[in-house]
Amino acid sequence: GVSPTEKKLANSGQKKNMKRTVAIILLLVSTVAGFNTHPQPCKLSTQLFGNTKPRRSISYGEEARKFRRTVYSHDDWVKHRSNRFFRSILSIKSSGIYKNIAREVLVTTTVAAFVFLWNMVAGGFKGFDGVVHPSPFSSRFLKKLSLPLAPFTLASPSLGLLLVFRTNSSYQRWDEARKNWGMNINHTRDLVRMGNSFYDKTGVSDQQRQEDLKRLSRCTWSFVRAMKRHLSPEDDETDFKKEIYEKLPEGQAEAVLKAAHRPNRALHDLSMAVENLPMHFLRKNQMHKSITIFEDNLGGSERLLTSPVPLFYSRHTARFLSFWLLLLPFALYDAFSSTWNHVGIIPTTSVISLFMFGIEELATQMEEPFTILPMQAFCDKIGNWCNEIVSWEPDAGSDP
């Protein structure tokens, strides 16, 4: 038989092994938790939603959206194509996408750790010395937790299709919003170019011509800036008022700010600026066509902002993905029998959850495109280009 001293030493060894195992689990879980960040207080609202309720806090992903408003130059493209794989891997811990899904990954990792510990307690475990120890608790009700892998294999294609459609639809929304602003950029330049070249100087002083064209440029910029404010959260209001008062006459600035629909008021001012230009009415009609395109771009952007991807689709995808990942550790347990006490399920679950939740998070971030588009940079460039175009003399560069 086994002496009491030997039993005592064996139990002591089991307790030490259990303590070491728990320490390893806590280390793994704390590593995943390191992605988490503290939310910052903020109030979210837009002019299109008068009933938007203030929120106590927003996630890191919302705060990080302003850092995604990229405008590339040639040097940026060179950097983008160089060492992208190593650079992307090294920047995982600072990724805003992964920080935003840290809670979800932590939950699935915790489930994997629970399965790992429960099965050690229920079915025994192998110590660091390689010796197999029986379960410290003997009960017929205490069984190992596991699921067959086949249902997950069968469900994976369906889940993949849902995620593909989700990301594709979100990217199409981002692409449409970017095209709307591209049309704004093109037609603002076209509008002031026509105003400059069509202007009839007969009987008009140079000073009056300069004032008329400057008004056209101001009103053109006023529309795109009002549209940007219309599509932005409440925190853009202070900057918008400051810019409007700086660049527009006081009366016009007040009229825009007091309007219930500011872009429409700015378009009205732009239409009147075109009507007051001395030129043939057919040329005015051609300029008004560009203004109509502005209205179409505005309406298309409002549609994107007020109409998300159908909520039942997004919610079903999120539920499917969540349950699939929450139950995955149970199915992976037997597959990792070659690892120490099946511990491989914990890091594997963490990595799979990180990338699978990351795909859904990408779609969510792109679904509302305006707060990740560099709209302020677009407005600034439009203002600078319009001012430059109206400063050109129509006969500059022509042969004497």
Side-chain angles (χ1 to χ4, degrees):
V2 180
S3 66
T5 304
E6 291 177 338
K7 287 184 178 180
K8 185 175 181 180
L9 290 174
N11 291 333
S12 177
Q14 290 181 4
K15 290 180 180 179
K16 288 182 179 179
N17 285 326
M18 288 294 290
K19 289 180 180 180
R20 291 173 183 173
T21 302
V22 171
I24 292 174
I25 300 303
L26 292 176
L27 179 61
L28 290 170
V29 173
S30 63
T31 301
V32 177
F35 284 108
N36 204 5
T37 58
H38 298 289
Q40 301 293 330
C42 184
K43 178 183 178 182
L44 297 179
S45 66
T46 68
Q47 286 186 317
L48 295 182
F49 296 96
N51 61 344
T52 300
K53 297 180 180 180
R55 298 182 180 180
R56 296 179 59 188
S57 63
I58 61 175
S59 64
Y60 174 85
E62 292 297 322
E63 288 288 342
R65 288 177 70 83
K66 58 187 175 183
F67 301 114
R68 310 189 198 281
R69 302 165 189 170
T70 51
V71 179
Y72 264 34
S73 63
H74 176 72
D75 292 337
D76 294 318
W77 280 112
V78 172
K79 181 180 178 182
H80 178 73
R81 293 188 291 264
S82 304
N83 300 321
R84 58 190 180 279
F85 296 109
F86 292 107
R87 187 171 63 250
S88 298
I89 292 174
L90 293 175
S91 62
I92 284 181
K93 191 170 179 61
S94 60
S95 169
I97 292 293
Y98 299 150
K99 287 184 178 180
N100 208 38
I101 59 173
R103 292 181 181 178
E104 290 82 357
V105 176
L106 180 60
V107 170
T108 57
T109 304
T110 302
V111 171
F114 170 77
V115 172
F116 171 70
L117 290 174
W118 177 277
N119 288 345
M120 286 181 64
V121 172
F125 60 94
K126 181 185 292 186
F128 290 104
D129 53 3
V131 178
V132 178
H133 301 275
S135 172
F137 305 99
S138 57
S139 173
R140 61 190 181 92
F141 299 105
L142 202 61
K143 303 294 183 181
K144 283 188 174 183
L145 302 175
S146 66
L147 290 173
L149 192 58
F152 295 85
T153 304
L154 294 174
S156 295
S158 300
L159 179 59
L161 286 175
L162 283 175
L163 290 174
V164 167
F165 292 147
R166 178 86 170 93
T167 53
N168 280 351
S169 60
S170 295
Y171 176 78
Q172 289 171 3
R173 291 168 60 86
W174 178 90
D175 185 56
E176 183 178 353
R178 180 61 184 88
K179 287 177 179 177
N180 286 344
W181 275 95
M183 292 285 285
N184 281 345
I185 293 173
N186 295 343
H187 286 278
T188 50
R189 292 183 294 197
D190 197 39
L191 181 70
V192 295
R193 177 192 59 79
M194 288 189 290
N196 192 2
S197 59
F198 292 168
Y199 196 97
D200 187 359
K201 295 194 299 180
T202 305
V204 180
S205 65
D206 291 340
Q207 181 179 0
Q208 183 61 43
R209 176 182 178 278
Q210 189 177 18
E211 287 296 326
D212 290 341
L213 293 179
K214 283 184 177 180
R215 181 189 178 193
L216 176 65
S217 177
R218 288 195 303 266
C219 291
T220 303
W221 170 86
S222 174
F223 163 70
V224 293
R225 187 61 183 88
M227 178 175 170
K228 189 258 181 182
R229 171 64 193 95
H230 191 62
L231 302 172
S232 299
E234 193 68 27
D235 54 11
D236 184 47
E237 180 69 13
T238 301
D239 292 336
F240 175 67
K241 289 182 178 180
K242 180 181 178 182
E243 293 179 47
I244 286 292
Y245 278 121
E246 286 178 353
K247 297 185 178 183
L248 298 183
E250 184 176 355
Q252 183 181 354
E254 290 288 347
V256 171
L257 293 174
K258 290 180 180 179
H261 195 287
R262 291 166 172 174
N264 278 346
R265 174 65 203 200
L267 278 180
H268 169 76
D269 293 340
L270 180 56
S271 297
M272 296 308 300
V274 171
E275 281 298 314
N276 290 331
L277 295 177
M279 64 178 64
H280 194 274
F281 75 94
L282 291 178
R283 291 184 167 180
K284 287 184 181 180
N285 289 343
Q286 189 173 351
M287 294 182 67
H288 279 297
K289 289 180 181 178
S290 292
I291 299 178
T292 301
I293 292 175
F294 295 154
E295 189 72 63
D296 293 339
N297 293 336
L298 175 62
S301 298
E302 288 178 331
R303 172 176 51 82
L304 291 175
L305 184 62
T306 58
S307 304
V309 173
L311 295 179
F312 51 82
Y313 184 92
S314 302
R315 289 170 180 170
H316 178 72
T317 303
R319 290 165 185 155
F320 193 166
L321 178 61
S322 298
F323 279 105
W324 194 89
L325 289 172
L326 285 170
L327 295 176
L328 184 62
F330 297 91
L332 291 178
Y333 182 79
D334 291 334
F336 282 91
S337 58
S338 60
T339 62
W340 179 75
N341 291 314
H342 305 252
V343 72
I345 65 171
I346 299 175
T348 302
T349 300
S350 297
V351 173
I352 293 177
S353 299
L354 189 70
F355 293 121
M356 294 292 284
F357 278 129
I359 294 174
E360 204 278 335
E361 178 67 16
L362 288 173
T364 302
Q365 290 292 326
M366 288 190 295
E367 185 178 2
E368 188 277 281
F370 299 105
T371 47
I372 58 174
L373 282 175
M375 295 190 294
Q376 185 62 48
F378 295 156
C379 294
D380 294 340
K381 288 184 177 181
I382 288 172
N384 293 334
W385 289 330
C386 290
N387 290 336
E388 182 184 28
I389 292 172
V390 299
S391 68
W392 296 335
E393 294 295 331
D395 56 350
S398 61
D399 296 332

